[in-house]
Amino acid sequence: MKYISTRGNAPELSFEEAMLTGLARDGGLYVPESIPTLSADEIAALAGKSYEEAAFVVMRPFVGDAFTDEEFKGIIARAYASFRHAARAPLVQLAPNHYLLELFHGPTLAFKDFAMQLIGQLFQFSLARRNERVTIVGATSGDTGSAAIEAFRGLSNVDVFILFPHGRVSPIQRKQMTTPEDSNVHALALDGDFDDCQAKLKDMFNDFDFRDGVKLAGVNSINWARVLAQVVYYFTSAVSLGAPHRKVSFTVPTGNFGDIFAGYIAKKMGLPIDRLVIATNQNDILHRTMETGAYTKEGVTPSISPSMDIQVSSNFERALFDAYGRDGGAVAQLMEELKDGSFAISQGAMETLREHFDSGRASEEETNATIASEFTATSEVLCPHSAVGVKVAGAYLGEVPMVTLATAHPAKFPDAVEAAMGARPALPPHMADMMDKDERVTRVPNDLGALEALIKERIAQR
Ligand SMILES: *Cc1c(COP(=O)(O)O)cnc(C)c1O
């Protein structure tokens, strides 16, 4: 299996190379050159299999000869061993034809663990075999940083540095990043906001001496291996609701378009998905794009579902690439136009996008009301992101079973949930003492030279 760039001007890579590289050299995103399919019989045979067994069947065609079957099974087993629910991604019923897919039973209580835990094990395996070390640096506004730290902590071939804006992440998110004791984990509180963290990260990747010197690697949501890991739970949940004999729809709380793009890949692989509904909060660039055909940046307004507060949705480029008949030149042109704030999507490409995706938006008031009303109706406590999904899904309920993705545990956002429904969600028992644990964090100035010096010094100490 070869991987090609969405901008058509970067070398073709193997699965392993695409995973270790992240972003393509032409600025594009890697996608498989073709999408493998599973037959209806192969999909039906997933029924009754464990999550790990299904993950192997779904992901195997994408990895090529990077690993033997036994090696890949071992990687998958280690990735999901730390999840707290035997089903990994259990379904609960909200209403006669509406189900919630709980994706928050991993170590950091958000769906990002599904991809990060896998990518941690994939990196460790590949690097150990190549006898290489890498330095992973990430910038986070909350969930991604803790998921990356949990995935890479204690791994011998990796140092992980996470930059977060000092004083601007929630207490739980900060504790998740600062309390792991492993010596390869480095939490850095930067004097600045999230945009400063991201800008510093970009500067480090553009400083080629530094980048090559410390073997910098990225694991942000455009990494193909992260998308691939998320394809699996579309299969497991649809099969448990009767696929491939019955169609199933999904509503996905969306920010960077990674999670819902995984659903699109599942559909391309042969899973009978009826509707894929993009659910946005008040930062609704994707919903506006689906309505108008114009992709236009606007400022971000902070919301109670912060992991979906985005201005530009990076993985949407992968959907555009397909909608434009896999014409990398056309995508490169659109991304050039976006530098001035906006681009218009051709009529043909919009028709293709609308064939696959529906969309909706939930306001802050609607999100709050949904948390309260779902708790009253079903006793299910929704996090604000999941509540955006449930609200938007409401307009698409019908004969086809609808699965809404619950992307985080409500206890990660206790203030918002308490304000909406009057009760404060508790952390799961195994994490209850987290708020009392000692923190290990280094405060850093918003200065590239100082950051790079600190990272080099820490690596030299290991
Ligand atoms: C990251 C995140 C999202 C958005 O997922 P994308 O793949 O970026 O669309 C939604 N909810 C939560 C809780 C998240 O952490």
Side-chain angles (χ1 to χ4, degrees), residues 329-354:
V331 173
Q333 170 77 39
L334 296 179
M335 294 303 144
E336 198 52 41
E337 287 172 33
L338 186 60
K339 288 182 181 160
D340 296 325
S342 154
F343 60 77
I345 301 173
S346 73
Q347 203 176 337
M350 262 335 284
E351 275 167 23
T352 307
L353 288 170
R354 288 186 183 127

PDB file of all heavy atoms in Angstrom, residues 329-354:
ATOM      1  N   GLY A 329      -3.312  19.172  -7.741  1.00  0.00           N
ATOM      2  CA  GLY A 329      -3.079  20.548  -8.167  1.00  0.00           C
ATOM      3  C   GLY A 329      -4.251  21.447  -7.778  1.00  0.00           C
ATOM      4  O   GLY A 329      -4.055  22.578  -7.313  1.00  0.00           O
ATOM      5  N   ALA A 330      -5.465  20.928  -7.940  1.00  0.00           N
ATOM      6  CA  ALA A 330      -6.650  21.721  -7.582  1.00  0.00           C
ATOM      7  C   ALA A 330      -6.682  21.999  -6.087  1.00  0.00           C
ATOM      8  O   ALA A 330      -7.018  23.106  -5.648  1.00  0.00           O
ATOM      9  CB  ALA A 330      -7.920  20.978  -8.015  1.00  0.00           C
ATOM     10  N   VAL A 331      -6.323  21.002  -5.278  1.00  0.00           N
ATOM     11  CA  VAL A 331      -6.323  21.189  -3.818  1.00  0.00           C
ATOM     12  C   VAL A 331      -5.253  22.198  -3.419  1.00  0.00           C
ATOM     13  O   VAL A 331      -5.500  23.090  -2.593  1.00  0.00           O
ATOM     14  CB  VAL A 331      -6.108  19.839  -3.094  1.00  0.00           C
ATOM     15  CG1 VAL A 331      -5.937  20.051  -1.588  1.00  0.00           C
ATOM     16  CG2 VAL A 331      -7.274  18.896  -3.364  1.00  0.00           C
ATOM     17  N   ALA A 332      -4.063  22.085  -4.021  1.00  0.00           N
ATOM     18  CA  ALA A 332      -2.983  23.035  -3.709  1.00  0.00           C
ATOM     19  C   ALA A 332      -3.437  24.467  -4.002  1.00  0.00           C
ATOM     20  O   ALA A 332      -3.167  25.396  -3.237  1.00  0.00           O
ATOM     21  CB  ALA A 332      -1.728  22.682  -4.509  1.00  0.00           C
ATOM     22  N   GLN A 333      -4.170  24.627  -5.106  1.00  0.00           N
ATOM     23  CA  GLN A 333      -4.691  25.940  -5.496  1.00  0.00           C
ATOM     24  C   GLN A 333      -5.659  26.495  -4.438  1.00  0.00           C
ATOM     25  O   GLN A 333      -5.569  27.644  -4.018  1.00  0.00           O
ATOM     26  CB  GLN A 333      -5.402  25.784  -6.850  1.00  0.00           C
ATOM     27  CG  GLN A 333      -6.208  26.963  -7.311  1.00  0.00           C
ATOM     28  CD  GLN A 333      -5.304  28.055  -7.864  1.00  0.00           C
ATOM     29  OE1 GLN A 333      -4.324  27.749  -8.547  1.00  0.00           O
ATOM     30  NE2 GLN A 333      -5.620  29.298  -7.548  1.00  0.00           N
ATOM     31  N   LEU A 334      -6.585  25.633  -3.961  1.00  0.00           N
ATOM     32  CA  LEU A 334      -7.540  26.067  -2.927  1.00  0.00           C
ATOM     33  C   LEU A 334      -6.813  26.494  -1.659  1.00  0.00           C
ATOM     34  O   LEU A 334      -7.159  27.501  -1.032  1.00  0.00           O
ATOM     35  CB  LEU A 334      -8.525  24.941  -2.594  1.00  0.00           C
ATOM     36  CG  LEU A 334      -9.470  24.467  -3.702  1.00  0.00           C
ATOM     37  CD1 LEU A 334     -10.346  23.323  -3.189  1.00  0.00           C
ATOM     38  CD2 LEU A 334     -10.346  25.610  -4.202  1.00  0.00           C
ATOM     39  N   MET A 335      -5.792  25.715  -1.285  1.00  0.00           N
ATOM     40  CA  MET A 335      -5.077  26.020  -0.037  1.00  0.00           C
ATOM     41  C   MET A 335      -4.271  27.320  -0.173  1.00  0.00           C
ATOM     42  O   MET A 335      -4.071  28.033   0.800  1.00  0.00           O
ATOM     43  CB  MET A 335      -4.164  24.853   0.353  1.00  0.00           C
ATOM     44  CG  MET A 335      -4.936  23.604   0.706  1.00  0.00           C
ATOM     45  SD  MET A 335      -6.126  23.885   2.072  1.00  0.00           S
ATOM     46  CE  MET A 335      -7.481  22.831   1.568  1.00  0.00           C
ATOM     47  N   GLU A 336      -3.849  27.608  -1.382  1.00  0.00           N
ATOM     48  CA  GLU A 336      -3.178  28.882  -1.641  1.00  0.00           C
ATOM     49  C   GLU A 336      -4.182  30.040  -1.441  1.00  0.00           C
ATOM     50  O   GLU A 336      -3.884  31.036  -0.791  1.00  0.00           O
ATOM     51  CB  GLU A 336      -2.636  28.862  -3.081  1.00  0.00           C
ATOM     52  CG  GLU A 336      -1.574  29.885  -3.405  1.00  0.00           C
ATOM     53  CD  GLU A 336      -0.391  29.883  -2.436  1.00  0.00           C
ATOM     54  OE1 GLU A 336       0.059  28.794  -2.031  1.00  0.00           O
ATOM     55  OE2 GLU A 336       0.049  30.994  -2.089  1.00  0.00           O
ATOM     56  N   GLU A 337      -5.395  29.844  -1.986  1.00  0.00           N
ATOM     57  CA  GLU A 337      -6.439  30.880  -1.836  1.00  0.00           C
ATOM     58  C   GLU A 337      -6.806  31.090  -0.369  1.00  0.00           C
ATOM     59  O   GLU A 337      -7.106  32.206   0.054  1.00  0.00           O
ATOM     60  CB  GLU A 337      -7.706  30.481  -2.610  1.00  0.00           C
ATOM     61  CG  GLU A 337      -7.568  30.597  -4.116  1.00  0.00           C
ATOM     62  CD  GLU A 337      -8.784  30.004  -4.844  1.00  0.00           C
ATOM     63  OE1 GLU A 337      -9.912  30.080  -4.304  1.00  0.00           O
ATOM     64  OE2 GLU A 337      -8.593  29.463  -5.940  1.00  0.00           O
ATOM     65  N   LEU A 338      -6.756  30.002   0.407  1.00  0.00           N
ATOM     66  CA  LEU A 338      -7.159  30.097   1.815  1.00  0.00           C
ATOM     67  C   LEU A 338      -6.255  31.049   2.599  1.00  0.00           C
ATOM     68  O   LEU A 338      -6.665  31.589   3.636  1.00  0.00           O
ATOM     69  CB  LEU A 338      -7.158  28.702   2.453  1.00  0.00           C
ATOM     70  CG  LEU A 338      -7.695  28.601   3.885  1.00  0.00           C
ATOM     71  CD1 LEU A 338      -9.143  29.052   3.976  1.00  0.00           C
ATOM     72  CD2 LEU A 338      -7.546  27.185   4.428  1.00  0.00           C
ATOM     73  N   LYS A 339      -5.021  31.238   2.110  1.00  0.00           N
ATOM     74  CA  LYS A 339      -4.122  32.181   2.798  1.00  0.00           C
ATOM     75  C   LYS A 339      -4.753  33.566   2.880  1.00  0.00           C
ATOM     76  O   LYS A 339      -4.457  34.337   3.788  1.00  0.00           O
ATOM     77  CB  LYS A 339      -2.774  32.248   2.074  1.00  0.00           C
ATOM     78  CG  LYS A 339      -1.957  30.980   2.279  1.00  0.00           C
ATOM     79  CD  LYS A 339      -0.608  31.058   1.600  1.00  0.00           C
ATOM     80  CE  LYS A 339       0.166  29.752   1.818  1.00  0.00           C
ATOM     81  NZ  LYS A 339       1.233  29.573   0.832  1.00  0.00           N
ATOM     82  N   ASP A 340      -5.642  33.876   1.930  1.00  0.00           N
ATOM     83  CA  ASP A 340      -6.353  35.163   1.981  1.00  0.00           C
ATOM     84  C   ASP A 340      -7.695  35.038   2.703  1.00  0.00           C
ATOM     85  O   ASP A 340      -8.523  35.947   2.660  1.00  0.00           O
ATOM     86  CB  ASP A 340      -6.592  35.697   0.565  1.00  0.00           C
ATOM     87  CG  ASP A 340      -5.286  36.000  -0.142  1.00  0.00           C
ATOM     88  OD1 ASP A 340      -4.345  36.430   0.555  1.00  0.00           O
ATOM     89  OD2 ASP A 340      -5.202  35.796  -1.368  1.00  0.00           O
ATOM     90  N   GLY A 341      -7.948  33.860   3.314  1.00  0.00           N
ATOM     91  CA  GLY A 341      -9.107  33.757   4.201  1.00  0.00           C
ATOM     92  C   GLY A 341     -10.278  32.946   3.690  1.00  0.00           C
ATOM     93  O   GLY A 341     -11.193  32.661   4.465  1.00  0.00           O
ATOM     94  N   SER A 342     -10.260  32.550   2.393  1.00  0.00           N
ATOM     95  CA  SER A 342     -11.474  31.891   1.910  1.00  0.00           C
ATOM     96  C   SER A 342     -11.243  31.222   0.546  1.00  0.00           C
ATOM     97  O   SER A 342     -10.373  31.638  -0.207  1.00  0.00           O
ATOM     98  CB  SER A 342     -12.560  32.973   1.800  1.00  0.00           C
ATOM     99  OG  SER A 342     -13.525  32.640   0.864  1.00  0.00           O
ATOM    100  N   PHE A 343     -11.998  30.176   0.247  1.00  0.00           N
ATOM    101  CA  PHE A 343     -12.050  29.666  -1.120  1.00  0.00           C
ATOM    102  C   PHE A 343     -13.452  29.162  -1.436  1.00  0.00           C
ATOM    103  O   PHE A 343     -14.217  28.835  -0.526  1.00  0.00           O
ATOM    104  CB  PHE A 343     -10.997  28.572  -1.388  1.00  0.00           C
ATOM    105  CG  PHE A 343     -11.102  27.342  -0.523  1.00  0.00           C
ATOM    106  CD1 PHE A 343     -12.063  26.364  -0.751  1.00  0.00           C
ATOM    107  CD2 PHE A 343     -10.200  27.137   0.524  1.00  0.00           C
ATOM    108  CE1 PHE A 343     -12.142  25.225   0.044  1.00  0.00           C
ATOM    109  CE2 PHE A 343     -10.270  26.004   1.335  1.00  0.00           C
ATOM    110  CZ  PHE A 343     -11.241  25.047   1.088  1.00  0.00           C
ATOM    111  N   ALA A 344     -13.780  29.141  -2.730  1.00  0.00           N
ATOM    112  CA  ALA A 344     -15.087  28.640  -3.164  1.00  0.00           C
ATOM    113  C   ALA A 344     -14.897  27.246  -3.749  1.00  0.00           C
ATOM    114  O   ALA A 344     -13.974  27.003  -4.523  1.00  0.00           O
ATOM    115  CB  ALA A 344     -15.676  29.576  -4.210  1.00  0.00           C
ATOM    116  N   ILE A 345     -15.790  26.322  -3.370  1.00  0.00           N
ATOM    117  CA  ILE A 345     -15.701  24.941  -3.845  1.00  0.00           C
ATOM    118  C   ILE A 345     -16.540  24.807  -5.113  1.00  0.00           C
ATOM    119  O   ILE A 345     -17.645  25.344  -5.201  1.00  0.00           O
ATOM    120  CB  ILE A 345     -16.198  23.979  -2.745  1.00  0.00           C
ATOM    121  CG1 ILE A 345     -15.335  24.153  -1.483  1.00  0.00           C
ATOM    122  CG2 ILE A 345     -16.171  22.532  -3.220  1.00  0.00           C
ATOM    123  CD1 ILE A 345     -15.832  23.390  -0.275  1.00  0.00           C
ATOM    124  N   SER A 346     -16.014  24.102  -6.111  1.00  0.00           N
ATOM    125  CA  SER A 346     -16.726  23.974  -7.389  1.00  0.00           C
ATOM    126  C   SER A 346     -18.054  23.239  -7.179  1.00  0.00           C
ATOM    127  O   SER A 346     -18.226  22.483  -6.222  1.00  0.00           O
ATOM    128  CB  SER A 346     -15.875  23.203  -8.395  1.00  0.00           C
ATOM    129  OG  SER A 346     -15.852  21.829  -8.046  1.00  0.00           O
ATOM    130  N   GLN A 347     -18.971  23.460  -8.120  1.00  0.00           N
ATOM    131  CA  GLN A 347     -20.292  22.842  -7.990  1.00  0.00           C
ATOM    132  C   GLN A 347     -20.197  21.312  -7.990  1.00  0.00           C
ATOM    133  O   GLN A 347     -20.852  20.634  -7.203  1.00  0.00           O
ATOM    134  CB  GLN A 347     -21.180  23.312  -9.137  1.00  0.00           C
ATOM    135  CG  GLN A 347     -22.641  23.197  -8.802  1.00  0.00           C
ATOM    136  CD  GLN A 347     -23.519  23.760  -9.919  1.00  0.00           C
ATOM    137  OE1 GLN A 347     -23.069  24.586 -10.711  1.00  0.00           O
ATOM    138  NE2 GLN A 347     -24.746  23.302  -9.977  1.00  0.00           N
ATOM    139  N   GLY A 348     -19.352  20.790  -8.859  1.00  0.00           N
ATOM    140  CA  GLY A 348     -19.198  19.333  -8.929  1.00  0.00           C
ATOM    141  C   GLY A 348     -18.673  18.766  -7.623  1.00  0.00           C
ATOM    142  O   GLY A 348     -19.174  17.747  -7.123  1.00  0.00           O
ATOM    143  N   ALA A 349     -17.675  19.436  -7.049  1.00  0.00           N
ATOM    144  CA  ALA A 349     -17.106  18.954  -5.790  1.00  0.00           C
ATOM    145  C   ALA A 349     -18.120  19.067  -4.658  1.00  0.00           C
ATOM    146  O   ALA A 349     -18.222  18.178  -3.802  1.00  0.00           O
ATOM    147  CB  ALA A 349     -15.839  19.737  -5.446  1.00  0.00           C
ATOM    148  N   MET A 350     -18.923  20.137  -4.668  1.00  0.00           N
ATOM    149  CA  MET A 350     -19.949  20.282  -3.623  1.00  0.00           C
ATOM    150  C   MET A 350     -20.975  19.169  -3.724  1.00  0.00           C
ATOM    151  O   MET A 350     -21.433  18.646  -2.705  1.00  0.00           O
ATOM    152  CB  MET A 350     -20.672  21.636  -3.758  1.00  0.00           C
ATOM    153  CG  MET A 350     -20.235  22.780  -2.882  1.00  0.00           C
ATOM    154  SD  MET A 350     -19.419  22.466  -1.316  1.00  0.00           S
ATOM    155  CE  MET A 350     -20.733  21.944  -0.241  1.00  0.00           C
ATOM    156  N   GLU A 351     -21.336  18.793  -4.953  1.00  0.00           N
ATOM    157  CA  GLU A 351     -22.303  17.693  -5.107  1.00  0.00           C
ATOM    158  C   GLU A 351     -21.755  16.412  -4.499  1.00  0.00           C
ATOM    159  O   GLU A 351     -22.473  15.670  -3.814  1.00  0.00           O
ATOM    160  CB  GLU A 351     -22.641  17.486  -6.589  1.00  0.00           C
ATOM    161  CG  GLU A 351     -23.739  18.419  -7.056  1.00  0.00           C
ATOM    162  CD  GLU A 351     -23.876  18.467  -8.580  1.00  0.00           C
ATOM    163  OE1 GLU A 351     -23.457  17.501  -9.252  1.00  0.00           O
ATOM    164  OE2 GLU A 351     -24.390  19.499  -9.074  1.00  0.00           O
ATOM    165  N   THR A 352     -20.474  16.150  -4.741  1.00  0.00           N
ATOM    166  CA  THR A 352     -19.864  14.944  -4.170  1.00  0.00           C
ATOM    167  C   THR A 352     -19.854  15.016  -2.644  1.00  0.00           C
ATOM    168  O   THR A 352     -20.199  14.053  -1.955  1.00  0.00           O
ATOM    169  CB  THR A 352     -18.414  14.786  -4.683  1.00  0.00           C
ATOM    170  OG1 THR A 352     -18.437  14.839  -6.102  1.00  0.00           O
ATOM    171  CG2 THR A 352     -17.811  13.481  -4.230  1.00  0.00           C
ATOM    172  N   LEU A 353     -19.481  16.165  -2.101  1.00  0.00           N
ATOM    173  CA  LEU A 353     -19.448  16.301  -0.635  1.00  0.00           C
ATOM    174  C   LEU A 353     -20.836  16.101  -0.039  1.00  0.00           C
ATOM    175  O   LEU A 353     -21.009  15.408   0.969  1.00  0.00           O
ATOM    176  CB  LEU A 353     -18.901  17.681  -0.234  1.00  0.00           C
ATOM    177  CG  LEU A 353     -17.397  17.896  -0.446  1.00  0.00           C
ATOM    178  CD1 LEU A 353     -17.022  19.364  -0.260  1.00  0.00           C
ATOM    179  CD2 LEU A 353     -16.574  17.019   0.503  1.00  0.00           C
ATOM    180  N   ARG A 354     -21.852  16.687  -0.698  1.00  0.00           N
ATOM    181  CA  ARG A 354     -23.221  16.583  -0.153  1.00  0.00           C
ATOM    182  C   ARG A 354     -23.792  15.177  -0.314  1.00  0.00           C
ATOM    183  O   ARG A 354     -24.705  14.787   0.423  1.00  0.00           O
ATOM    184  CB  ARG A 354     -24.137  17.616  -0.821  1.00  0.00           C
ATOM    185  CG  ARG A 354     -23.819  19.031  -0.348  1.00  0.00           C
ATOM    186  CD  ARG A 354     -24.816  20.054  -0.879  1.00  0.00           C
ATOM    187  NE  ARG A 354     -24.438  21.404  -0.454  1.00  0.00           N
ATOM    188  CZ  ARG A 354     -24.283  22.441  -1.264  1.00  0.00           C
ATOM    189  NH1 ARG A 354     -24.509  22.313  -2.575  1.00  0.00           N
ATOM    190  NH2 ARG A 354     -23.926  23.625  -0.797  1.00  0.00           N
TER     191      ARG A 354
END
